[in-house]
Amino acid sequence: MKKIKKLSLALMSAALVLTTACGGGGTQESTTTAQKPEESKTEAKPTYSFKLAHITPPDHMWHLAAEKFKEELAARSDGRMTMEIYPSSQLGSEADMVQQITAGSVDFGFITAAYMSSRADAFTAWFAPYAFKDLESANAARSTDVAKKILATVEDQGLQGLDYLFAGNRVMLTKDREIKGPEDMKGLKFRVTPSPPLQDWYKSLGASPESLALPEVYAAVQTGVIDGMDMDLDATITNKYHEVTKYGAVTNHMVWPAVALMNKASFDKMPDEDKKIIEEAINAAAEYAVTTRSGQEEEFKKTLADKGMKIYEVDPSVFASQIKQFDEKYGPTNPLIQEFISTFRK
Ligand code: BEZ
């Protein structure tokens, strides 16, 4: 009798070990939020209900790109892939979202390359000032070897870098001082996205950079905690910064990519056909975003001027010594940053 009891205990422990190794309710359930486990029984193609999170409001280009991605997934998979989108930091900060993606509770994120530069140095390359003459040239860089190698640097964090999606280039908004060059920036408290290369750029211009995430910026400028901000025209409109700043210097000093990320384990275990659908759908969304955004530059400037801002251009030559300083500082820190600068700096 004792022997039988011992045997059944041993069998139960073995069963427990096996269940744990498979992730309890099914590894697929825990790492891809809703890949149905019965796929292997019926040999039907898997279905997926994905979640995607990002920080911008629903009228920002990245949200429109997320909607496009969702449509493309549904169309290319004959309805097997559905997606819920969580905009406006509904799921927390970018740090929270990346944590949720690595944990598998969220499948995709559109995360600023600026934030990613604080997790993986190579993303700093995208902030080489004036590396591209316009948005189209930056978009063409997406498919280069160096851009792909930069994406791959997140793999050891459990992330699959899928692509880049651009919003408009960066501009400088100020509450009540017109900026024509670095001489106007001395001592200005300037908001930057928390990211080392952005902080350095503004320090080199003589400003005092203040790291603030997007949701905190409006109140900070309104109450005088900051004098100005690094921003793009898109987010200026969608977040109504024209209500709290008078001047918009269209410097176009840096590009502004989001990095489309996915949980790497979920991606790796997908059938090749489904991986291809994800890659093609995100590529279509990225192209849609950049094509739409490129045609909006003049309209956005006019919208802001109509709302009372002084919108004006600043020639890149006024920043020549700071551009050189950036390349000399960051190029030697990482071979991918050096390769990026050598490839695109003309
Ligand atoms: C920003 O932090 O400035 C930002 C983030 C996402 C989209 C646009 C701007």
Side-chain angles (χ1 to χ4, degrees), residues 33-65:
T33 56
Q35 189 171 353
K36 292 207 175 130
E38 63 268 26
E39 68 178 277
S40 53
K41 271 188 246 157
T42 60
E43 287 187 19
K45 290 184 179 179
T47 59
Y48 306 85
S49 47
F50 294 126
K51 292 182 183 157
L52 181 150
H54 66 87
I55 61 171
T56 58
D59 48 356
H60 188 272
M61 182 46 68
W62 290 350
H63 185 74
L64 306 181

Side-chain angles (χ1 to χ4, degrees), residues 55-56 60 62 112 170 191 193 214 230-232 235 256:
I55 61 171
T56 58
H60 188 272
W62 290 350
T112 59
R170 301 305 273 184
R191 174 271 170 171
T193 309
L214 201 57
D230 183 88
M231 196 47 65
D232 55 34
W256 197 246

Side-chain angles (χ1 to χ4, degrees), residues 231-243:
M231 196 47 65
D232 55 34
L233 296 177
D234 325 35
T236 305
I237 295 171
T238 58
N239 293 289
K240 300 191 180 357
Y241 297 134
H242 50 82
E243 293 175 353

Side-chain angles (χ1 to χ4, degrees), residues 261-279:
L261 294 174
M262 186 181 179
N263 176 289
K264 180 165 167 35
S266 302
F267 184 79
D268 285 347
K269 73 180 175 209
M270 281 180 157
D272 287 347
E273 178 190 355
D274 292 351
K275 286 182 183 159
K276 194 158 171 261
I277 290 175
I278 302 268
E279 286 166 346

Side-chain angles (χ1 to χ4, degrees), residues 67-279:
E67 298 276 11
K68 174 76 174 162
F69 183 38
K70 174 180 173 157
E71 278 167 33
E72 292 285 334
L73 287 177
R76 288 166 192 268
S77 67
D78 294 323
R80 289 187 297 114
M81 295 184 183
T82 59
M83 191 161 78
E84 275 178 55
I85 306 170
Y86 297 85
S88 309
S89 302
Q90 278 173 27
L91 300 187
S93 65
E94 294 203 298
D96 296 329
M97 290 178 217
V98 174
Q99 192 276 329
Q100 289 155 9
I101 298 167
T102 53
S105 56
V106 170
D107 303 286
F108 298 101
F110 290 173
I111 306 293
T112 59
Y115 170 69
M116 291 310 292
S117 72
S118 66
R119 297 182 64 106
D121 291 346
F123 285 93
T124 294
W126 285 103
F127 303 102
Y130 295 101
F132 302 101
K133 78 173 185 332
D134 51 30
L135 202 50
E136 290 80 359
S137 327
N139 185 51
R142 267 173 55 221
S143 49
T144 58
D145 265 10
V146 64
K148 289 181 184 166
K149 285 189 269 183
I150 293 171
L151 272 185
T153 62
V154 294
E155 287 179 8
D156 60 1
Q157 299 183 35
L159 297 165
Q160 182 76 24
L162 295 169
D163 212 328
Y164 302 95
L165 297 104
F166 289 90
N169 291 343
R170 301 305 273 184
V171 301
M172 299 178 188
L173 308 183
T174 37
K175 200 169 169 161
D176 40 33
R177 193 190 295 181
E178 186 170 340
I179 292 175
K180 297 203 182 99
E183 64 286 356
D184 302 313
M185 302 190 67
K186 299 271 170 300
L188 278 192
K189 283 178 272 150
F190 229 86
R191 174 271 170 171
V192 294
T193 309
S195 161
L198 299 188
Q199 284 160 344
D200 268 357
W201 168 248
Y202 279 95
K203 268 189 212 152
S204 77
L205 297 176
S208 303
E210 304 277 338
S211 288
L212 283 180
L214 201 57
E216 299 164 60
V217 175
Y218 187 101
V221 71
Q222 189 179 39
T223 56
V225 171
I226 52 172
D227 305 304
M229 63 179 90
D230 183 88
M231 196 47 65
D232 55 34
L233 296 177
D234 325 35
T236 305
I237 295 171
T238 58
N239 293 289
K240 300 191 180 357
Y241 297 134
H242 50 82
E243 293 175 353
V244 284
T245 55
K246 282 198 205 106
Y247 298 101
V250 183
T251 46
N252 287 326
H253 53 280
M254 286 171 188
V255 295
W256 197 246
V259 185
L261 294 174
M262 186 181 179
N263 176 289
K264 180 165 167 35
S266 302
F267 184 79
D268 285 347
K269 73 180 175 209
M270 281 180 157
D272 287 347
E273 178 190 355
D274 292 351
K275 286 182 183 159
K276 194 158 171 261
I277 290 175
I278 302 268
E279 286 166 346

Side-chain angles (χ1 to χ4, degrees), residues 121-122 124-125 128-129 323-342 345:
D121 291 346
T124 294
I323 298 170
K324 189 162 175 278
Q325 217 174 303
F326 185 100
D327 289 2
E328 285 172 358
K329 171 165 183 182
Y330 281 103
T333 62
N334 184 309
L336 288 176
I337 301 178
Q338 190 61 67
E339 185 181 342
F340 190 98
I341 291 172
S342 316
R345 176 82 66 215

